[in-house]
Amino acid sequence: MTSFRWDPELIARYNINGPRYTSYPTALALTSPFAHDRVISALAADDRTLSVYIHLPFCHKLCYYCGCNKVITRHQGKADTYLDALENEMKLYKPLLRGRRLGPLHLGGGTPTFLTEEQLTRLMDMLREHLGLVANGEHEISIEIDPRSCSLEKLKHLRTLGFNRVSYGVQDFDQTVQIAINRVQDDEMIETLVQKSREFGFESINLDLIYGLPHQHPESFQRSLDKVVALNPDRISLFSYAHLPARFAAQRKLDKGALPSPEMKLQLLEMGIRTFTAAGYQFIGMDHFARADDELAKVQREGKLQRNFQGYTTHGSDALLGLGVSSISQINGVIWQNEKDLPDYYQAIEANKLPVVKGVGLTHDDRIRADLIAEVICHFKLDIKKFESKWSLTFNQYFAESFPRLAPFVEDGLVLLNERELVVTELGRLWVRSICSTFDAYLLDGQQSYSKVV
Ligand SMILES: C[S@@+](CC[C@H](N)C(=O)[O-])C[C@H]1O[C@@H](n2cnc3c(N)ncnc32)[C@H](O)[C@@H]1O
Ligand code: SF4
């Protein structure tokens, strides 16, 4: 990444509220009620290896910036009740998955390492018993870890259970920032966990950072970035702080006056991109970096990168089963989401019903736009001729409505467009969410529900 333009006008024009396009249509397009028959037929019509995502919502302490679906509690027993419900959900899916190969597993949250070692063992036993998912090293088995909730014993235990990838929430190493966001964690703890993760044989380590938090400024942020580079993780997520105080009450506790301006936020992002690329990381796009020899970087170079609800992925964009509160599944052109609140999720499970609250079946038009957006967001270009023959359409005609919205990006040098291809330039990569949104047929309805794109 070489060229940046610190043009406030450019920022004002393109820093819109926009989706992250982990799916198209996005979760906002899901509607309720959604007939469970559609889940059943989507599963029956698809025989690919299924990725599994499990949401574990509990955390010990509230981070004020947090936009995740979480439940703050000190009661460890709550996780037992939750595991009971998850087990019942697995039993409901069991007959629908007969003979199906289950592959990669990801535990997200909330904080999956809120669970004790015994609870984690129980979860993996349940997956084996009810869904036949065995963590034998064949697939990626990954987990999100809050460093404050993972002792070295627990980390070792995770490895014994078959986990081979870990992702640590760092956010920022700076103490002033940590105090402001109510998440104080010392550097040494993270260094030790990273070092031990390697020693114990985890194949991949990711660190999560956020730019745009209160009190972040270039000097201290550079120190944090340098610390991250020194830890040498395989992947780095550098998330744009999504400030949605109307939706997440705790964000109102943050001092608004201490939040960096949009210009400074962009500067922090630029520093991240410069520091990580100079250290040998490939800028995958949006918020992600991977070592050049990492699988994610390799598949992007091969043109095979995909995107699903967990972000960029090396495997399947369209065969993901989500279990647990608020989880989203996408299988064979059907997307559905579980109940978002714990009491509703429990109530559905107790009634012996799939806890699905809403969903959507992709139309032909959705599939065309989903393919285009995935291609642009993963590879920053679209071979128009190939795309036209794949979908039997004429690009200029089919997307005629998008052209006026795309024109300013072309004029500003963020997109190159000719008859053969659409290319997002290096400068345009920062605005890829905004560029994709020009092809989004739903956006005008729900734009304000999304966070700023950078
Ligand atoms: C589920 S948490 C990761 C695991 C664990 N709970 C932790 O905090 O370490 C997922 C990640 O989402 C990111 N995140 C949470 N709220 C965010 C927000 N409002 N804006 C941007 N990123 C956010 C953080 O980087 C966090 O590490
Ligand atoms: S950032 Fe992680 S630990 Fe903090 S509240 Fe959110 S999910 Fe919980």
Side-chain angles (χ1 to χ4, degrees), residues 236-269:
I236 302 164
S237 308
L238 176 59
F239 295 118
S240 165
Y241 169 49
H243 188 58
L244 295 162
R247 240 167 85 192
F248 303 106
Q251 293 188 347
R252 289 176 230 149
K253 290 177 190 269
L254 298 174
D255 175 4
K256 240 182 126 186
L259 289 172
S261 65
E263 291 80 6
M264 191 195 282
K265 212 178 155 188
L266 199 60
Q267 192 183 347
L268 299 175
L269 171 62

Side-chain angles (χ1 to χ4, degrees), residues 58 113 179 263 417:
F58 304 109
T113 42
I179 291 166
E263 291 80 6
L417 185 64

Side-chain angles (χ1 to χ4, degrees), residues 246-427:
R247 240 167 85 192
F248 303 106
Q251 293 188 347
R252 289 176 230 149
K253 290 177 190 269
L254 298 174
D255 175 4
K256 240 182 126 186
L259 289 172
S261 65
E263 291 80 6
M264 191 195 282
K265 212 178 155 188
L266 199 60
Q267 192 183 347
L268 299 175
L269 171 62
E270 191 259 341
M271 286 168 56
I273 296 173
R274 194 164 14 84
T275 305
F276 297 144
T277 48
Y281 289 89
Q282 186 168 315
F283 179 41
I284 301 293
M286 303 260 302
D287 331 299
H288 293 274
F289 300 83
R291 289 218 148 278
D293 57 356
D294 184 275
E295 203 54 28
L296 207 60
K298 280 193 219 157
V299 296
Q300 188 179 44
R301 290 198 298 272
E302 289 163 6
K304 295 180 190 155
L305 188 65
Q306 292 175 318
R307 201 161 162 78
N308 68 12
F309 287 103
Q310 287 144 40
Y312 288 108
T313 174
T314 53
H315 43 78
S317 58
D318 196 18
L320 173 73
L321 178 67
L323 302 174
V325 67
S326 77
S327 288
I328 302 182
S329 304
Q330 176 158 13
I331 296 169
N332 207 27
V334 184
I335 304 177
W336 66 90
Q337 182 166 31
N338 278 356
E339 293 283 2
K340 285 199 245 179
D341 292 322
L342 216 40
D344 299 329
Y345 172 74
Y346 286 152
Q347 205 179 8
I349 295 283
E350 269 159 35
N352 230 12
K353 285 195 321 203
L354 287 177
V356 175
V357 63
K358 52 185 181 174
V360 68
L362 270 64
T363 63
H364 187 64
D365 177 66
D366 289 336
R367 287 174 194 258
I368 291 171
R369 289 172 194 271
D371 191 28
L372 184 154
I373 288 174
E375 201 51 36
V376 172
I377 219 157
C378 290
H379 300 109
F380 299 106
K381 65 176 178 194
L382 183 78
D383 182 329
I384 291 177
K385 293 292 160 212
K386 239 178 164 174
F387 191 81
E388 285 182 323
S389 75
K390 179 175 176 184
W391 291 102
S392 308
L393 53 79
T394 307
F395 192 79
N396 288 354
Q397 279 170 15
Y398 197 88
F399 295 107
E401 277 182 23
S402 298
F403 281 88
R405 289 199 262 160
L406 196 58
F409 292 94
V410 177
E411 276 157 32
D412 282 322
L414 309 183
V415 170
L416 300 175
L417 185 64
N418 59 41
E419 280 156 29
R420 282 173 299 106
E421 57 182 9
L422 179 157
V423 179
V424 178
T425 63
E426 280 199 31
L427 179 64

Side-chain angles (χ1 to χ4, degrees), residues 3-103:
S3 40
F4 275 92
R5 224 157 80 201
W6 305 108
D7 181 346
E9 243 182 69
L10 202 70
I11 296 170
R13 201 171 323 149
Y14 298 120
N15 200 11
I16 58 163
N17 297 70
R20 299 166 48 76
Y21 293 114
T22 50
S23 71
Y24 180 86
T26 69
L28 277 194
L30 309 189
T31 53
S32 195
F34 186 71
H36 292 177
D37 289 357
R38 299 182 74 181
V39 171
I40 294 166
S41 48
L43 280 165
D46 185 290
D47 61 0
R48 279 168 301 166
T49 301
L50 211 53
S51 297
V52 179
Y53 169 79
I54 303 185
H55 193 77
L56 296 149
F58 304 109
C59 305
H60 284 124
K61 203 172 167 195
L62 179 65
C63 310
Y64 293 159
Y65 60 82
C66 182
C68 304
N69 183 304
K70 76 274 176 196
V71 173
I72 311 297
T73 179
R74 285 262 149 214
H75 299 293
Q76 198 65 43
K78 289 205 175 169
D80 292 315
T81 312
Y82 190 71
L83 287 176
D84 292 342
L86 267 181
E87 182 158 25
N88 286 332
E89 190 181 2
M90 287 179 200
K91 284 182 188 164
L92 289 169
Y93 274 110
K94 190 173 182 172
L96 308 176
L97 298 177
R98 219 178 287 281
R100 197 59 190 265
R101 258 170 67 88
L102 275 86

Side-chain angles (χ1 to χ4, degrees), residues 59 65-68 109-111 144-147 169 171 183 208-210 239-242 251:
C59 305
Y65 60 82
C66 182
C68 304
T111 301
E144 291 170 18
I145 297 180
D146 175 345
Q171 326 312 350
R183 184 187 173 112
D208 283 349
L209 300 173
I210 304 182
F239 295 118
S240 165
Y241 169 49
Q251 293 188 347

